[in-house]
Amino acid sequence: MSSVTVQGPTFSDGDPSHRPTGSGFVRANEDGYLQKLAEKWMQEAGVADDDETYSLARLPAGYEVWERPRINNPNHSDKWLYGHPNHKTFDSPNRFYPHFFFLMHNGHQDCTCDKCLNHKTKIRDTMSVQKAPLLKAPFDEEGIPDKFKHLFTHLKSEALLTRKIEERASMEWQVERAVAKSAADSITQSYIPRHGEIVMYVSLAQGHELRQDASTHRFKVYKTINSGKTPKSQWVGAPTWLAGIITDNPSSTTRAVNFPQYRIEQLPTSGSVKEHHYTTLSLIRPFAFMKACLFGIPKDEWHPSIHAAIAACTTVSLIDRQDFVGNWPHAHVYSHGIFIGAESYWIGDLVRLLPESVPTDMAPAGTVPVMQIKKIQTVFHNIRAAEDAETCVEADVFESMEICFHGPVVTLSKAKTTNENTSNAEKEAEAGEAATKDV
């Protein structure tokens, strides 16, 4: 069984002036605290291994364990942890753990330990921030266990490794799980904007509607006027297109085109105040339709949120990473979904593959291949281990990486159909190769 040293928090509110004042106190061995805190942290982070023992390198800065023999039983000593900014002591590692959890998250959330909750003064008002020495270990800059560095380290020692991925200490992982559950309900033939996607939208007053002029291809806003028996529509001007992120969408049983059920947070710009709108599906367009929405509108008249969205579309983010399979020095990570620019793609989605030479809008009908996504795979090539650290790998932990989509491909083009005698393995290989090249 191997021993792993876990980095403690780089942030601390420990008060070095809080120490015992009575007689008979001496510094105590801190191993019990170091081991129990590290083991519980690694277990909750989902990275604990049955073949390993864990221990903190040191307690958070400003905290110390002191002990004093009992008066009626001098052979037994009671221990207390000192250093809390409210000058309250902890009598066990389990009592201290909620505060330790608070420190590991850099104090970015309220502490739930009884020493903070029962004190009238908020912990943040009396906090003295101290930085503990940084140690090389598989944690990120926020003190959250770096799951992939941890797995890469184990892969190097074991050569072959297969693990389920859980990151319970990461708030981002918890949110991704919720987004994945929401996305599972939105796999449909119709366009439904998904949670987290960037969209184009307009916010209109009641009685106004958005239409596209068939002759000019420009979008216009019309107002319905009830004059006489027949309502009339009056053109009132061009719409102001905004860009935002879907932060709440209705369930599959309550969707309506003309009911404001979609909450959209407008993308922030320099100096702007955070805004959100509730709008209808009829006023939302995929961000891929940006050129069509802004057709005829000079670039200097675009809303600033459009430019912020364009910058955000240069990113790629894997969502709900589920499985790790490694064969040193290479590894594969399988995810449930991925954000590519403004849109998300999930297992089960149907996607069109880009033609190799002919633009999609010019390709003959039925000749554009369509793939159903069965796997979203991230491949890490030539993982490099650090020579000067025992428990982690370097920041540039791999030589290269690629993201691949795998799934069956269908087409009406006879020239691209697979020979009936081709083996299933060859078909899957060809499908994966097509996905890797063209998606």
Side-chain angles (χ1 to χ4, degrees):
M1 183 173 289
S2 60
S3 178
V4 176
T5 300
V6 178
Q7 178 189 1
T10 58
F11 163 89
S12 180
D13 61 358
D15 184 354
S17 69
H18 179 224
R19 295 295 182 264
T21 57
S23 60
F25 282 94
V26 296
R27 286 288 301 275
N29 187 302
E30 298 175 344
D31 289 347
Y33 274 82
L34 298 177
Q35 293 171 5
K36 290 181 179 180
L37 291 173
E39 288 173 359
K40 190 167 184 178
W41 173 255
M42 297 298 282
Q43 288 170 359
E44 292 196 358
V47 295
D49 193 306
D50 293 338
D51 296 329
E52 294 177 338
T53 60
Y54 302 97
S55 179
L56 291 177
R58 58 176 59 85
L59 287 173
Y63 286 88
E64 292 179 354
V65 180
W66 290 73
E67 65 180 356
R68 181 173 63 179
R70 290 183 180 178
I71 296 176
N72 58 354
N73 185 8
N75 293 325
H76 183 86
S77 296
D78 293 317
K79 297 181 180 182
W80 294 271
L81 180 68
Y82 286 78
H84 192 277
N86 292 337
H87 287 201
K88 304 292 182 180
T89 59
F90 297 92
D91 58 7
S92 72
N94 287 338
R95 292 281 181 87
F96 178 60
Y97 184 78
H99 197 78
F100 175 79
F101 185 89
F102 161 77
L103 297 179
M104 289 295 280
H105 286 81
N106 294 328
H108 290 162
Q109 51 187 299
D110 292 333
C111 180
T112 60
C113 81
D114 57 356
K115 312 304 178 186
C116 293
L117 292 176
N118 297 332
H119 200 270
K120 294 182 179 179
T121 305
K122 286 187 177 181
I123 184 69
R124 294 170 188 245
D125 296 338
T126 59
M127 185 180 297
S128 60
V129 177
Q130 301 182 31
K131 288 285 186 178
L134 290 174
L135 300 177
K136 287 192 173 183
F139 290 81
D140 62 20
E141 63 275 7
E142 295 182 354
I144 306 299
D146 190 318
K147 183 70 176 182
F148 291 99
K149 285 187 178 181
H150 182 84
L151 290 171
F152 290 159
T153 301
H154 279 265
L155 176 61
K156 183 178 185 296
S157 62
E158 298 182 21
L160 295 172
L161 186 66
T162 300
R163 291 284 174 85
K164 284 287 184 182
I165 297 177
E166 290 186 344
E167 302 174 77
R168 298 187 183 278
S170 170
M171 187 61 67
E172 291 181 0
W173 184 80
Q174 303 285 358
V175 173
E176 287 177 4
R177 300 284 290 178
V179 172
K181 187 178 184 302
S182 172
D185 296 332
S186 62
I187 296 179
T188 174
Q189 294 179 346
S190 304
Y191 169 69
I192 299 294
R194 290 169 168 170
H195 195 109
E197 291 188 332
I198 299 175
V199 296
M200 300 285 293
Y201 73 102
V202 295
S203 180
L204 299 180
Q206 189 173 2
H208 292 67
E209 61 178 320
L210 182 69
R211 299 182 193 171
Q212 188 174 22
D213 191 316
S215 60
T216 64
H217 302 292
R218 295 186 182 184
F219 283 94
K220 297 181 179 180
V221 177
Y222 290 84
K223 180 179 181 181
T224 301
I225 301 176
N226 295 314
S227 57
K229 296 182 179 180
T230 305
K232 296 182 179 180
S233 296
Q234 179 183 354
W235 175 63
V236 294
T240 299
W241 285 99
L242 308 171
I245 298 177
I246 299 289
T247 56
D248 193 18
N249 48 9
S251 66
S252 57
T253 59
T254 60
R255 292 178 184 134
V257 175
N258 59 350
F259 190 76
Q261 298 171 305
Y262 292 87
R263 185 183 187 276
I264 304 177
E265 283 194 9
Q266 181 182 310
L267 282 170
T269 56
S270 178
S272 67
V273 178
K274 190 175 182 179
E275 295 184 50
H276 71 271
H277 301 92
Y278 284 91
T279 189
T280 66
L281 181 59
S282 61
L283 300 179
I284 300 174
R285 299 292 186 276
F287 194 75
F289 288 10
M290 181 192 75
K291 291 184 179 180
C293 295
L294 299 175
F295 181 76
I297 302 176
K299 191 173 183 178
D300 57 1
E301 295 181 15
W302 292 1
H303 190 271
S305 63
I306 305 294
H307 300 286
I310 293 173
C313 284
T314 60
T315 61
V316 175
S317 177
L318 294 166
I319 303 296
D320 192 17
R321 299 173 291 271
Q322 297 179 325
D323 296 286
F324 178 93
V325 179
N327 184 352
W328 184 263
H330 311 292
H332 297 177
V333 173
Y334 296 91
S335 305
H336 188 190
I338 184 173
F339 277 93
I340 301 179
E343 297 183 0
S344 62
Y345 302 87
W346 300 86
I347 291 177
D349 278 347
L350 294 173
V351 295
R352 293 192 302 171
L353 305 181
L354 297 178
E356 297 179 359
S357 57
V358 182
T360 303
D361 55 357
M362 296 178 60
T367 62
V368 177
V370 174
M371 180 179 72
Q372 183 180 29
I373 299 176
K374 293 294 186 180
K375 292 180 183 178
I376 301 175
Q377 178 190 52
T378 307
V379 184
F380 300 93
H381 297 287
N382 295 322
I383 301 168
R384 293 189 287 259
E387 297 179 357
D388 58 344
E390 297 179 355
T391 59
C392 69
V393 289
E394 294 286 4
D396 53 339
V397 295
F398 46 84
E399 184 177 288
S400 63
M401 65 166 287
E402 57 185 348
I403 300 174
C404 306
F405 294 76
H406 297 264
V409 178
V410 296
T411 178
L412 296 181
S413 173
K414 293 183 179 180
K416 293 187 177 182
T417 55
T418 307
N419 190 298
E420 294 181 357
N421 296 324
T422 304
S423 66
N424 290 331
E426 292 174 329
K427 292 179 181 179
E428 291 180 2
E430 291 176 7
E433 183 180 356
T436 304
K437 290 181 177 179
D438 300 331
V439 169

